[in-house]
Amino acid sequence: ALKLRAGDKHCLAARSKCYLKLGDTENSLKDAEASLQNDKTFSKGLYQKAEALYTMGDFEFALVFYHRGYRLRPELQKFKLGIEKSQEAIVNCIGSPSSVKLENKEDLCFISRQAESKKANQKLQIKLTKDQKWARKQEPVRNPKTERELLGELYADKAYLEKLLKDKDLMESSTKQGIKVADLVLSGISYLDARSEFWQQQKPIYARVRERKLRQQRWIRDKKQKPAEVARYIVKSMEDIDMLLTGDSPEESCKKAERVLKTIQGWSEDDVPNKNELIGNLHSCIGNAQLEMGQMEAALQSHKMDLEFARRNNLPDAISRALDNIGRVYARIGKFQQAIDTWEEKIPMAKSSLEKTWLFHEIGQCYLELNKAEAAQNYGEKSLQSADEEGDVEWQLHATVLMAQAQVKLKDYRSAIMSFERALEKAKLIHNEAAQKAIITVSGSLQR
């Protein structure tokens, strides 16, 4: 995509995210900065830059860019979560502001303007107390117990790589590509050392011990999690579910949604204030994945569960979403009257002309399938009217073709030819060659 449109900010932000997932923080940061080159307010670029800086251990700079993004887009939860995790990491590294005490030296006092001008060339010395005199950047910890704590499951991998270093014959050998095995092993160890350093900065051992005590005192007893952690988990999980579905992995998306649903069902409403709304949303995600997998009955049940939760909790947007999806499933399995009934119930809830355009078009198509051409034509006209209001040429094309098809069934061939001619003009406007060919073929056969 970037070859076709060099410097596209959306592509750069997407590639930055991929680099970050691969652990390539330098290229991730480069792409994020490149996406901001022509638009400093690009929220996706700001977020990716903040994420890259955070992963590199530059928590203060990450905090700056999380704040910038939050000022521009306060409705995006991810910026707020970024601010919280950066602040937490900074406190873990240097302590809270209240624990940093300034010593009252001669140079640090309130003085008159005249005295201030005399001392302009003197440096003010601000010293931390003895227990705070340690560098923020710590050397990678070499103590095995500490390393095990930091690396977790990866500790065994590091131990294995270090064991390989002792095999001199292996270290002197090379791979088929000519890369020295020793270089590969050392780069692996170096990477794990870098991760240890990052995790030590993000959450030092003393902070982990303190956190464990808090967990023993509070979390295990109450079975509660911090609101920020809960929100982080939910946002990340919903992003993953959506990404798997759009990435042609409906089965994985479904499994992930089912796991998250089970987790959230085990939490109280104090932990998750919008618990019922989330449960309904997850049923909707599961239903969409099941539809993609061809599991029609299961999809129908999942979307009905979404509708039930939405009605029980009086959530208009969720009711509209559920009716939309239930109609889709009915139409897919050939139950066109049920699809019509469901979508007609949704009509008053449609918020935009574009949403109405799609809705009227789909209802019209169902009537066409049921050989109710007059009703199909009426809905085609409604769809076209909404498409005109929105100024959407593509939907104007779809609505006009629907009207023409209905007019053919009504044997009103003159009107059908005129509708097809209008549709052809729309198809030419949006350069839809496939539609142009189809319209010319049908229109030609009608004229003959």
Side-chain angles (χ1 to χ4, degrees):
L2 284 164
K3 283 179 184 177
L4 294 171
R5 189 181 291 175
D8 182 271
K9 62 183 182 181
H10 294 283
C11 291
L12 286 165
R15 192 171 67 176
S16 170
K17 189 174 182 179
C18 292
Y19 276 132
L20 198 60
K21 292 280 186 184
L22 291 168
D24 188 349
T25 50
E26 286 187 16
N27 277 320
S28 176
L29 185 59
K30 279 181 186 175
D31 275 354
E33 287 176 335
S35 75
L36 293 164
Q37 195 167 359
N38 297 320
D39 182 5
K40 302 296 182 188
T41 63
F42 180 46
S43 63
K44 287 182 182 177
L46 286 169
Y47 181 71
Q48 280 309 124
K49 184 169 182 178
E51 286 284 280
L53 288 166
Y54 179 85
T55 308
M56 293 168 90
D58 290 332
F59 306 124
E60 297 93 337
F61 286 112
L63 182 60
V64 169
F65 287 97
Y66 284 129
H67 269 298
R68 283 186 191 174
Y70 184 69
R71 281 198 299 272
L72 290 165
R73 298 291 301 277
E75 77 279 6
L76 294 180
Q77 184 72 6
K78 61 186 180 182
F79 284 118
K80 191 175 181 182
L81 295 174
I83 290 167
E84 288 173 3
K85 72 180 182 183
S86 296
Q87 287 174 338
E88 187 179 350
I90 292 165
V91 168
N92 284 336
C93 286
I94 63 170
S96 64
S98 61
S99 66
V100 181
K101 296 177 183 176
L102 300 178
E103 290 183 10
N104 192 6
K105 300 289 183 183
E106 281 184 14
D107 293 341
L108 193 66
C109 55
F110 292 100
I111 50 179
S112 66
R113 288 186 181 274
Q114 292 83 357
E116 189 174 358
S117 63
K118 288 178 184 177
K119 295 187 177 183
N121 295 323
Q122 296 178 9
K123 291 183 180 178
L124 298 179
Q125 299 294 319
I126 302 174
K127 296 183 180 180
L128 300 177
T129 53
K130 289 181 182 179
D131 61 329
Q132 292 293 324
K133 284 184 180 178
W134 51 283
R136 178 185 150 341
K137 295 277 185 183
Q138 300 176 28
E139 291 298 315
V141 184
R142 297 297 176 190
N143 183 292
K145 185 178 177 182
T146 307
E147 272 194 331
R148 190 188 299 276
E149 181 83 25
L150 289 167
L151 288 171
E153 292 178 5
L154 293 175
Y155 181 75
D157 297 318
K158 190 183 179 194
Y160 174 73
L161 290 173
E162 287 174 340
K163 188 178 177 183
L164 289 180
L165 281 176
K166 295 174 184 177
D167 189 335
K168 291 183 180 179
D169 293 334
L170 178 64
M171 291 303 101
E172 288 174 4
S173 63
S174 300
T175 65
K176 289 180 181 178
Q177 290 77 26
I179 304 169
K180 278 193 173 183
V181 173
D183 291 339
L184 287 172
V185 172
L186 288 168
S187 68
I189 292 170
S190 174
Y191 172 78
L192 291 172
D193 281 339
R195 289 293 84 196
S196 293
E197 186 177 2
F198 168 68
W199 288 323
Q200 169 71 346
Q201 291 167 5
Q202 185 192 29
K203 190 156 286 187
I205 295 300
Y206 80 85
R208 292 162 192 251
V209 172
R210 185 181 68 223
E211 196 173 90
R212 196 179 298 118
K213 286 178 181 176
L214 287 171
R215 226 176 6 245
Q216 288 167 352
Q217 294 167 10
R218 218 170 43 243
W219 295 352
I220 293 176
R221 185 185 66 233
D222 298 331
K223 293 183 179 178
K224 287 183 181 178
Q225 287 179 281
K226 291 181 180 178
E229 287 181 349
V230 171
R232 251 197 305 270
Y233 168 77
I234 290 167
V235 170
K236 178 71 169 59
S237 298
M238 297 307 288
E239 281 179 356
D240 290 345
I241 290 163
D242 185 54
M243 188 174 66
L244 287 166
L245 187 59
T246 54
D248 293 328
S249 300
E251 192 173 346
E252 292 303 313
S253 176
C254 188
K255 286 178 182 176
K256 174 84 175 177
E258 285 171 346
R259 286 196 300 270
V260 175
L261 177 62
K262 190 175 179 182
T263 302
I264 288 175
Q265 283 173 332
W267 290 343
S268 71
E269 289 190 10
D270 291 334
D271 294 327
V272 191
N274 59 337
K275 179 180 175 180
N276 289 321
E277 188 178 346
L278 272 170
I279 288 172
N281 201 346
L282 286 163
H283 278 300
S284 177
C285 293
I286 292 166
N288 288 333
Q290 288 166 334
L291 186 64
E292 289 298 312
M293 290 188 284
Q295 299 172 6
M296 301 303 175
E297 285 302 320
L300 190 59
Q301 290 308 311
S302 294
H303 289 308
K304 283 183 176 178
M305 287 287 286
D306 180 24
L307 182 60
E308 184 186 332
F309 270 89
R311 281 181 171 155
R312 194 187 303 164
N313 295 282
N314 192 26
L315 301 166
D317 289 344
I319 292 170
S320 179
R321 174 189 67 211
L323 290 170
D324 187 349
N325 289 322
I326 291 168
R328 286 175 194 267
V329 179
Y330 277 137
R332 186 79 72 88
I333 60 179
K335 293 185 176 180
F336 299 113
Q337 190 56 55
Q338 287 94 321
I340 289 167
D341 295 341
T342 305
W343 278 328
E344 284 184 338
E345 187 182 344
K346 174 185 161 70
I347 290 171
M349 302 176 191
K351 289 186 174 179
S352 67
S353 296
L354 191 60
E355 191 177 0
K356 286 178 183 175
T357 299
W358 176 86
L359 199 53
F360 292 145
H361 180 270
E362 294 304 294
I363 294 170
Q365 284 285 5
C366 287
Y367 274 123
L368 204 61
E369 293 288 344
L370 293 170
N371 290 315
K372 295 181 179 180
E374 195 172 337
Q377 184 180 359
N378 289 337
Y379 273 103
E381 288 170 356
K382 287 181 179 180
S383 179
L384 180 59
Q385 186 181 345
S386 296
D388 288 341
E389 287 173 11
E390 190 67 28
D392 192 304
V393 180
E394 190 167 350
W395 276 108
Q396 287 170 359
L397 166 63
H398 296 320
T400 309
V401 169
L402 172 61
M403 286 169 59
Q405 289 172 324
Q407 285 157 354
V408 169
K409 288 209 172 192
L410 290 166
K411 297 184 180 179
D412 184 0
Y413 301 121
R414 187 180 296 277
S415 297
I417 289 168
M418 289 172 65
S419 294
F420 276 126
E421 285 175 353
R422 284 196 296 272
L424 184 60
E425 289 172 12
K426 304 294 182 187
K428 286 176 180 176
L429 272 174
I430 59 173
H431 308 291
N432 189 333
E433 291 181 9
Q436 288 176 51
K437 287 176 184 177
I439 292 165
I440 290 167
T441 303
V442 176
S443 185
S445 65
L446 281 173
Q447 287 172 342
R448 287 196 297 275

